[in-house]
Amino acid sequence: MKLSDQAAPPGSAPGGLLYRTGRACARRPWLVIAVWLLALLAAVGADRAWGGQYQDDFALPGTAVQTGADLLDAHGGPAHRGVPAQVVLSAGGEGLAGHRDAVEDAGQRLAALPGVIGVVDPLATPAAVTGDGRTGYYTVRFDSNPAQFDTSYLERVDAAVAPLRAGGVTVEYGGPLGKLAAPVGADRASEVIGIATAVIVLLLGFGSVAAAGFPLISAVVGLLAGLAGLGLLAAAFDFAAVSPTLAVMMGLGVGLDYSLFLVTRHRKLLHTLSDPAEAAGRTVATSGRAVLVAALTVTVALAGLFASGVGFIGMLGVAAGTTVLTGALAALTLTPALLGLAGRRIDRLRVRTPVDEPGDEPGGEPRGDGDVWQRWAAAVGRRPWTFLLVGAAMLALLSVPAASMRLGHVDAGASPVKATERRAYDLLADGFGRGANGPLTVVVTLDKAGAAPDQRTELAGQLHQALTDTPGVASATPPVPTADGALLVSTVVPDSAPQDRATADLLHRLAKETLPGALDPYHATGYLTGQSAAQQTFRDVLADRLPLVVALVVAAAFVLLLAVFRSPLIALKAAVLNLLSIGASFGVVVAVFQWGWGSSLFSVDESVPVESYVPMMMFAIVFGLSMDYEVFLLARIREYWLAGRDSQAAVAAGLASTARVISCAALIMTSVFLAFLLSANPVVKMLALGLGFSVVLDATVVRLLLVPATMHLLGRANWWIPAWLDRILPHLDPEGCHPEDSRPGDRTREVRA
């Protein structure tokens, strides 16, 4: 009997919301396309007119580093306000003194630039010039972060220092000014490579131009809409500079995957249904349900980042979640519209004979073991313990490096050697020592007893001696009072680079030993602030909150899967397997970037710590994406189980019917992620490698070994659920159908106790 003559499979009965949505979009394709185009144009136009800027905001309310920064803003005067950046100079021969007129002239030109609130001339500040006089730096303070200025601003900076360069002085830009000068276009190249790879994979995998083109159109439209929406959100909320890149990585990857699953299911249904609109409706009612659950799972995982208590991290989750949701929306509406527009001519344009998704219909008779994936599933079923142990051992081995993970901040020392921020970093390190790129600021407040001039002088002397005697300190300036006398301020230069473990140890030593020991007798309070101190505090806060984020995300995903698949063991298995694959991905990132194994292949020429927020971001994203493929595979297995297959046959048929599309989807997403290894930002490289490798592991070791092995071992227990739990759980079926609403003779209830 044809599928069109049968009752709908569970959860896809005509009349359901997703069924009606898919069929309506397919019947009125031009209307849906027009609505999407108008909405996209309006969103892009609004973003251009009112969209905000992206900038890193590491505000840490309630911490010592933030208190110190706030005190400097309130009492420090122009010398401590604003955002500092360095303009580093290097001269041979007589040194900078031989270019005194040009140095003074360039300083005046820099001070006259818009947005500049102060410039410190190196020749007027002995501490800003090396002993041989050949290297020095201006400290330029801006009223806002110059990294967010238009790149045309660099032309004005270049013009200001042109007399120096004309005289043979090397000039490089450090700090946020160096970030503004960072080369652009690498991320755009990554996007193009990701899209091109997706087209090739889809054409080779399915042979049909439409099967390749429709997912691409849907994904790009959803991505552009999401980026425009993100820009509008940035006008009201603070988003990190890496937010658009992260949004593109996520939106493009999941958008292609979601639409691909729908197109694949639709093409198969066209073999048994004469009406393309009906096929589109049933596609959205079945595979669309899995897309909806998958997108919801990813979004829940990303929302868990707010448990970090750091707005910077939570908003990164919002940035990624925005394009995930718009990608899912485009897949569920624009894709069926395109399918309806193509009708039965969907495979007319082809590069080879189109390939359909293999496998049987849930209610039909099994085809036997002729399909390679069914044979594979049968092989796993014969030796489930062997495959389970092999897969688990592989993930455990890859996870070993994760045990030595060191969190920190990846500074400009890891930037490409051609970047001006890297050259400025190297000049400062060579001339002033490695710690010159990460000075610390000590801020001391005095109560009434310590405010007397003689006590203040005595305190300043004791503090200076204590700072210089602290192991790990290269130099410390004598503490000087602010103009209003409210604070004492000293600058401490470590003898180690900002991203070294020794610098983190020094920060803790100063905060816990040196400052209390020197200040407590005077009833004074000291605070460490500055970029290095802020980064270390940021790292400590995230390290403390990571277990909470992990617990909340895992618990939320467990409950969601439990409600959808109504199986505690399946939900628990998914959580455990995803944790194993995440540990393996962490291990790869540590081995490459921290241990330096092959890091030169990614244009990182030194070992660096793992950026403090990368593990938390990777966990949320990888956990969500891993659930994507878990949902797509389990949804098909469950269809076969509810249609009457035994557990082993349902696993084999579900794997066979999804293997090709999951493999192609994983290859596409991996290509999208790995393409961002071209980025000049080492943190983006970390995320790209970690996410790309996690998808590979999930689509191979987890999906092909661990999932079928565990499901074969569990047998009927896969679908066991306590009766009391089944009663209290909500039925998360987007079609509005109860699981019992299936065909006569189907297995309508999971195994209940």
Side-chain angles (χ1 to χ4, degrees):
M1 175 184 320
K2 291 184 178 180
L3 182 63
S4 57
D5 297 325
Q6 298 174 349
S12 61
L17 176 60
L18 289 182
Y19 170 83
R20 294 196 305 271
T21 299
R23 188 178 62 176
C25 290
R27 290 194 185 283
R28 300 174 179 82
W30 288 114
L31 175 61
V32 175
I33 293 171
V35 169
W36 264 105
L37 288 178
L38 288 175
L40 182 60
L41 290 174
V44 172
D47 179 32
R48 289 183 176 275
W50 302 296
Q53 297 292 323
Y54 304 98
Q55 58 183 343
D56 293 332
D57 179 13
F58 290 97
L60 298 165
T63 62
V65 68
Q66 188 65 50
T67 301
D70 293 341
L71 287 170
L72 279 179
D73 284 342
H75 303 283
H80 297 286
R81 290 185 185 140
V83 180
Q86 297 78 38
V87 176
V88 185
L89 313 178
S90 179
E94 304 176 80
L96 295 178
H99 303 272
R100 183 174 297 276
D101 290 343
V103 170
E104 293 177 353
D105 180 52
Q108 293 172 0
R109 290 169 177 260
L110 288 171
L113 292 177
V116 174
I117 59 177
V119 176
V120 177
D121 190 317
L123 295 180
T125 310
V129 180
T130 57
D132 60 9
R134 296 188 175 186
T135 304
Y137 59 90
Y138 299 98
T139 298
V140 184
R141 291 189 170 271
F142 296 86
D143 58 10
S144 59
N145 191 343
Q148 305 306 316
F149 292 176
D150 190 274
T151 53
S152 62
Y153 189 85
L154 285 171
E155 297 177 3
R156 308 180 78 165
V157 179
D158 289 337
V161 299
L164 285 169
R165 287 178 169 149
V169 178
T170 299
V171 182
E172 304 292 351
Y173 307 138
L177 194 60
K179 294 187 182 300
L180 177 65
V184 296
D187 290 348
R188 187 58 51 83
S190 299
E191 297 165 16
V192 173
I193 291 174
I195 292 174
T197 304
V199 172
I200 294 172
V201 171
L202 289 169
L203 287 175
L204 294 179
F206 296 94
S208 168
V209 174
F214 290 173
L216 187 61
I217 293 171
S218 175
V220 170
V221 170
L223 174 63
L224 293 176
L227 289 175
L230 182 61
L232 292 173
L233 288 174
F237 304 99
D238 293 329
F239 285 90
V242 76
S243 296
T245 300
L246 183 61
V248 170
M249 292 170 66
M250 290 294 295
L252 188 58
V254 302
L256 284 165
D257 278 9
Y258 293 162
S259 183
L260 174 60
F261 279 101
L262 295 177
V263 171
T264 304
R265 190 67 175 269
H266 176 82
R267 291 173 65 239
K268 185 170 183 61
L269 286 175
L270 282 179
H271 292 305
T272 53
L273 292 171
S274 59
D275 183 6
E278 178 69 15
R282 291 181 183 269
T283 294
V284 177
T286 52
S287 292
R289 175 178 181 270
V291 166
L292 197 60
V293 173
L296 181 60
T297 306
V298 176
T299 304
V300 167
L302 292 170
L305 291 172
F306 278 103
S308 67
V310 179
F312 174 89
I313 296 297
M315 298 312 289
L316 282 177
V318 172
T322 299
T323 50
V324 168
L325 291 177
T326 55
L329 180 61
L332 293 173
T333 55
L334 183 57
T335 297
L338 295 172
L339 294 173
L341 189 64
R344 302 195 63 84
R345 304 183 305 276
I346 189 170
D347 289 332
R348 174 170 293 182
L349 296 177
R350 63 186 68 175
V351 295
R352 66 180 180 86
T353 302
V355 179
D356 279 330
E357 168 192 291
D360 311 312
E361 287 304 318
E365 293 297 322
R367 296 187 317 167
D369 59 356
D371 183 81
V372 62
W373 296 111
Q374 288 183 333
R375 294 197 301 271
W376 171 260
V380 175
R382 287 191 294 270
R383 295 181 179 85
W385 279 111
T386 300
F387 284 94
L388 177 62
L389 293 175
V390 169
M394 291 175 63
L395 295 182
L397 181 63
L398 289 170
S399 301
V400 169
S404 63
M405 181 184 293
R406 178 170 65 88
L407 301 181
H409 173 59
V410 181
D411 58 30
S415 298
V417 293
K418 294 183 179 180
T420 185
E421 63 173 339
R422 169 65 182 272
R423 295 196 295 265
Y425 181 98
D426 290 341
L427 285 173
L428 288 176
D430 293 342
F432 297 91
R434 295 179 299 168
N437 285 289
L440 311 172
T441 302
V442 177
V443 179
V444 178
T445 60
L446 305 171
D447 62 13
K448 293 182 179 179
D454 56 339
Q455 289 184 322
R456 181 185 300 163
T457 302
E458 180 182 343
L459 169 59
Q462 292 290 337
L463 176 60
H464 184 239
Q465 188 64 45
L467 292 173
T468 54
D469 290 345
T470 301
V473 172
S475 64
T477 62
V480 296
T482 54
D484 61 2
L487 308 174
L488 289 176
V489 181
S490 173
T491 299
V492 175
V493 178
D495 62 11
S496 53
Q499 62 188 18
D500 289 350
R501 183 188 297 273
T503 303
D505 294 339
L506 173 61
L507 283 161
H508 291 138
R509 190 179 305 120
L510 289 171
K512 296 179 180 179
E513 300 174 13
T514 302
L515 292 182
L519 301 178
D520 285 354
Y522 297 90
H523 305 288
T525 304
Y527 303 93
L528 279 172
T529 189
Q531 184 175 12
S532 292
Q535 291 288 353
Q536 182 60 36
T537 302
F538 185 67
R539 176 257 179 221
D540 292 342
V541 169
L542 293 187
D544 291 341
R545 299 289 179 88
L546 181 58
L548 175 61
V549 172
V550 170
L552 287 178
V553 170
V554 172
F558 175 85
V559 172
L560 180 62
L561 289 183
L562 181 61
V564 172
F565 293 107
R566 319 205 65 75
S567 168
L569 290 178
I570 280 184
L572 179 62
K573 170 187 65 66
V576 172
L577 294 183
N578 287 343
L579 289 175
L580 287 175
S581 66
I582 289 169
S585 302
F586 284 172
V588 171
V589 170
V590 170
V592 171
F593 292 96
Q594 187 177 312
W595 291 4
W597 291 5
S599 60
S600 59
L601 298 175
F602 310 121
S603 301
V604 178
D605 55 5
E606 66 175 37
S607 298
V608 297
V610 177
E611 183 68 32
S612 54
Y613 64 84
V614 163
M616 193 174 286
M617 290 299 305
M618 273 188 60
F619 171 78
I621 294 172
V622 170
F623 197 89
L625 293 180
S626 296
M627 287 297 184
D628 270 10
Y629 297 140
E630 185 83 12
V631 166
F632 290 129
L633 176 58
L634 290 178
R636 294 309 300 272
I637 293 175
R638 186 170 183 266
E639 281 189 65
Y640 289 108
W641 163 259
L642 292 176
R645 303 284 180 88
D646 62 49
S647 180
Q648 188 164 345
V651 172
L655 183 61
S657 64
T658 59
R660 176 179 284 106
V661 67
I662 285 181
S663 298
C664 286
L667 183 56
I668 290 169
M669 188 173 288
T670 300
S671 302
V672 169
F673 287 150
L674 294 186
F676 281 85
L677 288 170
L678 296 175
S679 174
N681 188 333
V683 179
V684 174
K685 293 178 187 288
M686 284 185 189
L687 287 170
L689 181 65
L691 296 178
F693 200 82
S694 72
V695 173
V696 171
L697 289 177
D698 196 73
T700 55
V701 178
V702 174
R703 242 27 82 203
L704 298 182
L705 294 178
L706 298 180
V707 168
T710 54
M711 295 194 76
H712 279 305
L713 288 171
L714 293 172
R716 287 176 59 85
N718 281 305
W719 312 107
W720 168 82
I721 184 172
W724 64 267
L725 182 59
D726 184 59
R727 287 193 298 270
I728 65 174
L729 277 177
H731 288 272
L732 295 185
D733 189 335
E735 292 303 293
C737 303
H738 196 275
E740 280 80 354
D741 298 336
S742 55
R743 296 190 299 274
D746 287 347
R747 180 183 286 107
T748 59
R749 289 182 180 270
E750 288 75 19
V751 181
R752 296 180 174 86

